[in-house]
Amino acid sequence: LEAAMAGEQTIFLTAQKDIEVDLPKESDLYRVGTVAKIKQIVKLPGDSVRVLVEGMYRAKLCEVLLEEPYFACVCSKIEEDDDSYAVRDALLRKLKEVFERYFSYNSRINSESMVSIMTIDDAAKLTDVIASNINLKYTDKQRVLEAISLTERVTELIAILENEIEIVRLEQNISEKVKTQIDK
């Protein structure tokens, strides 16, 4: 973080394949991540640090130049497909429709966030915002991040949201059955 702050204040963020590994090597990292701008660093008690970043673009890890005392790498920006306006519009509409259903089943998202998210009119940006702001397993988020074409990314996210809707619906059914049993 100190080296990044002394330079361009950008950092490549990627997840570890196994979060239990304390000292990851290159092979422990996913190849696709996000280049982000460091906005703020807050030192917390002990050796902890809280970092506020703003994602700039998706990128692919090309080469690790240094592993100690921190990772330094070369990465390349992942360019968005140049889908037709009609395709992008259809993806946007379908994603908004499914996300609205997800929201109706999920009380963990506040109304202000929902309104803000629904005003986004770019399918790529909407995909990134939804995937980063909902509570999903990091492996699911990674699958969305790694899908190269916009159609693949939106389709992957829609499938994940549909699955989450089904899980929440089943949980509600189970809760109702349990309540019925208790009331007997």
Side-chain angles (χ1 to χ4, degrees), residues 32-84:
V32 176
T34 304
V35 171
K37 182 91 168 163
I38 300 171
K39 293 293 195 180
Q40 181 181 32
I41 297 177
V42 177
K43 294 189 181 194
L44 301 174
D47 290 337
S48 296
V49 176
R50 175 169 286 158
V51 182
L52 177 64
V53 298
E54 178 182 327
M56 296 167 50
Y57 54 87
R58 294 181 316 130
K60 184 173 185 169
L61 177 63
C62 296
E63 179 184 5
V64 171
L65 304 172
L66 176 72
E67 285 191 31
E68 293 292 332
Y70 54 85
F71 281 94
C73 67
V74 174
C75 56
S76 62
K77 182 177 181 178
I78 296 174
E79 297 295 336
E80 288 291 332
D81 288 347
D82 206 14
D83 291 320
S84 71

Side-chain angles (χ1 to χ4, degrees), residues 83-99:
D83 291 320
S84 71
Y85 176 78
V87 169
R88 292 179 81 84
D89 194 41
L91 291 169
L92 180 70
R93 286 183 191 182
K94 184 63 180 176
L95 182 54
K96 282 185 174 185
E97 172 197 318
V98 174
F99 185 65

Side-chain angles (χ1 to χ4, degrees), residues 98-113:
V98 174
F99 185 65
E100 280 183 289
R101 274 194 294 122
Y102 174 84
F103 175 75
S104 71
Y105 279 101
N106 193 324
S107 60
R108 291 177 235 163
I109 301 170
N110 67 44
S111 297
E112 292 99 33
S113 294

Side-chain angles (χ1 to χ4, degrees), residues 4 11 16 33 44 49 69 82 91-92 97 111 118 120-121 124 127 130 134 137 147 164 168 178:
I11 190 168
Q16 289 180 217
L44 301 174
V49 176
D82 206 14
L91 291 169
L92 180 70
E97 172 197 318
S111 297
M118 294 306 285
I120 298 171
D121 285 331
T127 302
I130 290 173
I134 60 175
K137 295 181 282 188
E164 290 294 315
V168 171
V178 168

Side-chain angles (χ1 to χ4, degrees), residues 139-157:
T139 52
D140 287 340
K141 289 184 179 197
Q142 188 67 36
R143 281 198 338 258
V144 173
L145 190 63
E146 288 183 356
I148 300 302
S149 77
L150 179 60
T151 300
E152 289 175 79
R153 287 176 51 223
V154 172
T155 304
E156 187 69 48
L157 182 56

